[in-house]
Amino acid sequence: MSIDEAGGRDSAPPGEAAVGPDPESAARKQFLSARALRILRVAFSVAVVAALGVVCYHAISGVSSLSFDIRPAWLIGAWPLALASFPLLAVAWSQMLAAYGHQVPVPVVVRLWSLAQASRYLPTGLAAVASRAVLAARHGVPRALSVTTMAAEGALLAAWCALGAGALLAAGGHQPVIPVAIGGLAGIVAVPVALHLAGRARWGQAPRSRLARFVVRFTRSEQPPRSQPLAKAVLTIGLSLIVKTVVFVLYARALLPVHLSDLALLVGATNLAAVAGLVGVTPAGIGVREGVLVALLEHRFGAANATAMALTLRVWDLTVELPWVIGSVLVSRRRPV
């Protein structure tokens, strides 16, 4: 048996050098594809923010049509629910880490997750990723695994939001959202499958298919995640989205004349706006989320009301987020993360 037969490799014909992939060409293609993706995301964000600017201009010119009728009771009911549900995504992340064998106490994960969230308003949002990875590394979590689970968390969040955007179908006249909802359902299934495939692919052997090569690059773990904690993480992210959607409906009811027939519109609008915010490149989706929300709600509540609610919603989010961030900072002074 020849060496080539034993090793399972094909030898080059005599007199010809083996031709392998050109590293420069591969790097060039990767750079161009990444650059094209960034250009598309920037163009998308610019278009939505420009649309928001036009809507804001018309809303300000017609500010006399603003008809907020604030009902404090609805806000009082919504804020504690929003405050209590804020750490659900952190809990989901701790479940993902547990799926890979890293049992970090949930209170610690909530603290470092909250601290990292404070930097998501910086340009590109990469500071939030880097800070969370650095803080998790102090508890023995490899940085590559932190980035992997954060990417999975973001993908699952976008998928659940896309599925929730399907509520617009019940509101009528939003058939283009059908592929978004279908894509969301597919993403909820595909992300855990990709993590399992990546864990089962053994390092040291070049995967044959493009899908296998992609999922191997997606993770640095040599073992697949355990199914039960991963399933819990997927469901916890879904629960977080459901609670946040309920909070948004309560918030809208506190400011606008919302009727039972408006529920599907509000549920679908806030979820589709969240998808746009996650896809856009602006820090924390600022401007992008508001633009989509206004575009979907102005025909029902008026441009002035929809714009004012979308902008004040950002302030509302900060009133929910800041107590957790400040509390995490104060606790971390006595117990460093």
Side-chain angles (χ1 to χ4, degrees):
M1 182 181 295
S2 65
I3 295 177
D4 291 334
E5 292 174 343
R9 299 186 302 271
D10 295 328
S11 60
E16 295 184 13
V19 179
D22 183 4
E24 293 185 2
S25 176
R28 191 181 304 111
K29 289 181 180 179
Q30 184 177 2
F31 172 77
L32 291 176
S33 62
R35 184 178 182 183
L37 180 60
R38 285 196 299 270
I39 291 174
L40 287 175
R41 292 181 67 188
V42 170
F44 172 77
S45 301
V46 169
V48 174
V49 172
L52 176 62
V54 173
V55 172
C56 287
Y57 172 78
H58 290 295
I60 293 172
S61 62
V63 71
S64 59
S65 62
L66 187 65
S67 57
F68 271 4
D69 184 15
I70 300 178
R71 303 169 183 85
W74 292 92
L75 294 176
I76 293 172
W79 192 75
L81 182 60
L83 196 66
S85 64
F86 179 79
L88 280 177
L89 287 179
V91 173
W93 188 50
S94 71
Q95 292 166 339
M96 281 193 188
L97 296 178
Y100 285 98
H102 294 275
Q103 300 286 346
V104 183
V106 172
V108 174
V109 174
V110 171
R111 273 195 289 147
L112 65 86
W113 191 90
S114 300
L115 292 172
Q117 282 294 100
S119 57
R120 68 192 179 101
Y121 290 97
L122 297 176
T124 74
L126 292 178
V129 176
S131 59
R132 204 198 302 185
V134 170
L135 292 173
R138 299 175 184 176
H139 297 273
V141 180
R143 296 187 182 184
L145 181 60
S146 293
V147 174
T148 295
T149 50
M150 279 186 273
E153 173 194 314
L156 285 168
L157 182 60
W160 277 108
C161 289
L163 181 61
L168 286 171
L169 295 173
H174 296 90
Q175 281 71 25
V177 82
I178 292 177
V180 176
I182 294 175
L185 181 60
I188 294 171
V189 177
V191 171
V193 171
L195 291 175
H196 275 284
L197 289 176
R200 292 182 183 279
R202 292 181 299 175
W203 292 93
Q205 291 188 356
R208 296 180 180 179
S209 67
R210 291 184 177 180
L211 176 60
R213 288 196 296 269
F214 170 77
V215 294
V216 166
R217 290 178 59 188
F218 187 68
T219 185
R220 299 297 183 186
S221 176
E222 296 183 0
Q223 299 294 331
R226 291 186 291 127
S227 299
Q228 186 174 359
L230 184 59
K232 288 181 179 179
V234 174
L235 294 177
T236 302
I237 292 174
L239 176 61
S240 172
L241 173 65
I242 292 172
V243 177
K244 287 182 178 180
T245 302
V246 171
V247 169
F248 173 77
V249 172
L250 295 176
Y251 176 79
R253 182 66 181 85
L255 302 179
L256 301 173
V258 174
H259 303 294
L260 187 62
S261 58
D262 298 321
L263 289 182
L265 175 62
L266 291 171
V267 170
T270 185
N271 282 287
L272 188 59
V275 173
L278 290 169
V279 173
V281 295
T282 58
I286 293 177
V288 178
R289 187 188 73 173
E290 287 78 5
V292 173
L293 196 60
V294 170
L296 291 170
L297 297 180
E298 64 173 333
H299 75 281
R300 166 63 183 86
F301 300 106
N305 287 340
T307 302
M309 187 188 68
L311 296 178
T312 55
L313 180 62
R314 184 68 67 173
V315 180
W316 168 270
D317 289 343
L318 288 175
T319 66
V320 174
E321 182 176 327
L322 283 178
W324 282 99
V325 174
I326 294 173
S328 298
V329 171
L330 295 177
V331 173
S332 296
R333 287 183 176 179
R334 293 183 300 169
R335 305 177 194 171
V337 178

